[in-house]
Amino acid sequence: MNIEARIAELGYTLPEAPAPAGSYVNFTRSGNLLFLAGGIPPVEETYQGKVPTDTTIETAQEAARLVTLNRLAVVKDAVGSLDKVKQIVTVNGFVNSEPDFYGHPTVINGCSDLLVEIFGEKGIHSRTACGVAALPLNVSVEINMIVEVEN
């Protein structure tokens, strides 16, 4: 199945790849691996603040799904089609959280589960999910990935 059709079937829309917001690029490529820069959700109050006091776990999971789609837009921009994805290799998820919050994996499941829904076995990946004291623009989630693509 065409990956973009699968995304639409799941009720999502692939956004345009965002322009980098600083002194970096959205990805670098080494061989068949794309190393994606960290992506954040839309900077709006809904997706800002610490989990779980300023935003709920469920809202942070939604933010993680939006970041995932944002990162996939970067992959499409890099190689022309999401059908060229061979494997999601790894995901690194950062959660803006209170010091006594330990549900980081639950938040980043928003990303991981969506990748498996979209890509099936190609979406199964290794992962880091950790809490941090703050994230850019006070967003609740930031995610980067390594993705293997066809030549």
Side-chain angles (χ1 to χ4, degrees):
M1 172 182 270
N2 174 284
I3 295 300
E4 287 193 61
R6 177 70 181 144
I7 290 169
E9 180 181 291
L10 292 169
Y12 297 102
T13 302
L14 194 68
E16 292 294 319
S23 299
Y24 65 93
V25 294
N26 272 328
F27 69 91
T28 56
R29 184 170 181 162
S30 180
N32 288 350
L33 295 177
L34 291 179
F35 294 80
L36 305 183
I40 62 174
V43 181
E44 50 191 61
E45 190 174 337
T46 303
Y47 305 117
Q48 290 183 305
K50 295 202 177 290
V51 180
T53 53
D54 299 325
T55 190
T56 67
I57 292 169
E58 294 77 18
T59 301
Q61 287 173 323
E62 180 183 334
R65 286 188 289 275
L66 293 174
V67 174
T68 301
L69 294 167
N70 171 295
R71 297 297 81 197
L72 293 179
V74 171
V75 172
K76 180 183 175 187
D77 191 53
V79 297
S81 171
L82 292 177
D83 296 327
K84 293 183 178 182
V85 170
K86 290 178 74 172
Q87 185 69 48
I88 305 297
V89 177
T90 194
V91 167
N92 297 302
F94 306 92
V95 180
N96 181 1
S97 63
E98 299 293 351
D100 61 347
F101 177 70
Y102 306 107
H104 313 106
T106 302
V107 171
I108 303 304
N109 281 346
C111 168
S112 294
D113 293 346
L114 182 58
L115 288 169
V116 173
E117 284 183 83
I118 292 170
F119 292 102
E121 287 196 22
K122 293 179 181 182
I124 298 171
H125 53 273
S126 66
R127 185 179 87 179
T128 299
C130 61
V132 296
L135 285 171
L137 305 172
N138 195 32
V139 295
S140 56
V141 177
E142 182 172 5
I143 295 172
N144 69 22
M145 300 180 200
I146 300 173
V147 178
E148 182 183 11
V149 294
E150 296 174 1
N151 280 334

